[in-house]
């Protein structure tokens, strides 16, 4: 895109989560162990500082996602006589007349009733045991009281789990009154932006700030061309020139050397003496 939108403040927490995932990528962790490499905290600071520039790589997906989100917020709420779209456990168990369903009522009432009955049975059972320790009814009422208390605890646990599941489902669902098709399209656009930001934005950015991963050059880096100088050793025909490119003929002449001038003495024998 020629003019991608800047990263909105509400999307920065999502950017930080994706940055944390990218810093745990295998290739990034390998490059972080190289001598002289930046630390993970230093990389995080740089990536947060350059968030708008990094998000530019996913500008097309981000523009589509934000446009859908603004369109969703601008959609008027449904009429009052139409039940809003709010998926979740409690909404599925809601009765047809708009009241609470059976499951929510049971999760609230069962622990209260079970604990109340358990306390009454324990109180009466222990009073009867105090009056007559051998009374069979007293032992039965004490046992029933403890069982009722256990049932109340189990019902409370089930109710808590149901509430947690409902909160998780409603937390990932679209707001009440949202068109299901528009909500699904928004979720798909958000997933596309997340993928593009990680693969085309964050990971390449981190790799450019780190040494090249062994076996693979860093993105955007090419090694400079290098060729050794032409050099040929002295051969039988000659030596290389001073530049080392070609051989030159061996110019060798022996030194001009002649033995010293020497003539034998004129000597003819003893008859010539005296």
């Amino acid at each position: 895109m020629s003019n991608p939108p800047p990263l909105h403040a509400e999307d920065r927490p999502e950017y930080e989560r994706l940055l944390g995932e990218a810093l745990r990528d295998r290739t990034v962790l390998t490059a972080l162990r190289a001598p002289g490499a930046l630390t993970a905290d230093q990389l995080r600071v740089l990536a947060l500082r350059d968030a708008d520039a990094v998000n530019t790589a996913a500008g097309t997906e981000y523009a589509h996602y934000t446009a859908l989100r603004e369109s969703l917020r601008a959609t008027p709420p449904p009429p009052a006589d139409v039940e809003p779209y709010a998926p979740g456990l409690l909404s599925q168990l809601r009765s047809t007349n708009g009241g609470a369903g059976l499951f929510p009522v049971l999760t609230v009432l069962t622990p209260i009733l079970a604990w109340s009955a358990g306390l009454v049975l324990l109180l009466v059972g222990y009073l009867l045991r105090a009056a007559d320790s051998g009374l069979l009814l007293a032992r039965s009422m004490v046992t029933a009281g403890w069982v009722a208390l256990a049932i109340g605890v189990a019902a409370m646990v089930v109710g808590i789990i149901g509430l947690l599941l409902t909160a998780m489902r409603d937390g990932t669902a679209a707001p009440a009154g949202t068109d299901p098709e528009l909500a699904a399209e928004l979720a798909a656009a958000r997933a596309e932006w997340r993928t593009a930001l990680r693969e085309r934005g964050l990971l390449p950015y981190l790799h450019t700030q780190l040494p090249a991963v062994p076996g693979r050059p860093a993105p955007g880096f090419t090694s400079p061309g290098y060729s050794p100088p032409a050099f040929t050793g002295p051969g039988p025909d000659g030596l290389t020139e001073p530049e080392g490119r070609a051989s030159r003929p061996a110019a060798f002449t022996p030194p001009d050397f002649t033995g010293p001038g020497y003539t034998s003495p004129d000597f003819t024998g003893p008859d010539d003496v005296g």
Side-chain angles (χ1 to χ4, degrees):
M1 291 185 66
S2 58
N3 189 20
L7 189 65
H8 296 177
E10 61 184 304
D11 297 320
R12 287 190 175 270
E14 186 68 23
Y15 176 87
E16 294 182 11
R17 284 192 291 269
L18 291 173
L19 174 60
E21 295 178 4
L23 288 172
R24 293 189 294 271
D25 186 78
R26 179 180 56 83
T27 58
V28 175
L29 293 176
T30 301
L32 283 172
R33 291 193 290 266
L38 299 176
T39 64
D41 291 336
Q42 291 172 331
L43 278 178
R44 182 184 297 275
V45 172
L46 290 176
L48 291 177
R49 183 197 65 185
D50 300 335
D52 290 337
V54 175
N55 190 53
T56 303
T60 302
E61 290 81 3
Y62 186 64
H64 178 60
Y65 167 59
T66 53
L68 281 178
R69 185 171 59 188
E70 294 302 324
S71 175
L72 182 65
R73 291 173 178 173
T75 302
D81 56 345
V82 178
E83 182 180 3
Y85 175 74
L89 182 60
L90 294 180
S91 63
Q92 293 175 359
L93 295 173
R94 188 176 300 159
S95 60
T96 56
N97 57 1
L102 179 61
F103 181 76
V105 173
L106 290 178
T107 56
V108 174
L109 293 181
T110 300
I112 297 175
L113 295 176
W115 289 337
S116 300
L119 291 177
V120 172
L121 290 173
L122 289 175
L123 179 61
V124 175
Y126 281 118
L127 288 176
L128 292 177
R129 178 180 291 184
D132 185 359
S133 59
L135 187 62
L136 181 61
L137 179 61
R139 293 197 298 270
S140 299
M141 294 187 70
V142 170
T143 302
W146 285 114
V147 171
L149 290 179
I151 293 174
V153 172
M156 182 185 65
V157 171
V158 172
I160 292 175
I161 294 175
L163 291 176
L164 290 177
L165 291 176
T166 302
M168 292 174 61
R169 293 179 183 179
D170 291 344
T172 56
T178 303
D179 183 7
E181 295 183 359
L182 186 58
E185 187 177 357
L186 179 65
R190 178 175 177 269
E192 292 177 359
W193 168 62
R194 284 171 50 90
T195 302
L197 177 59
R198 172 184 167 84
E199 301 300 330
R200 301 203 307 265
L202 286 169
L203 287 178
Y205 175 81
L206 296 178
H207 288 158
T208 58
Q209 306 298 326
L210 292 168
V213 178
R216 182 171 61 87
F221 175 81
T222 56
S223 59
Y226 174 80
S227 60
F231 177 80
T232 58
D237 296 332
L239 301 174
T240 57
E241 294 179 349
E243 294 80 7
R245 294 192 179 91
S247 62
R248 59 181 180 182
F252 177 78
T253 58
D256 187 9
F257 176 78
T258 58
Y262 178 79
T263 58
S264 61
D266 188 9
F267 180 76
T268 60
D271 292 338
D272 294 335
V273 176

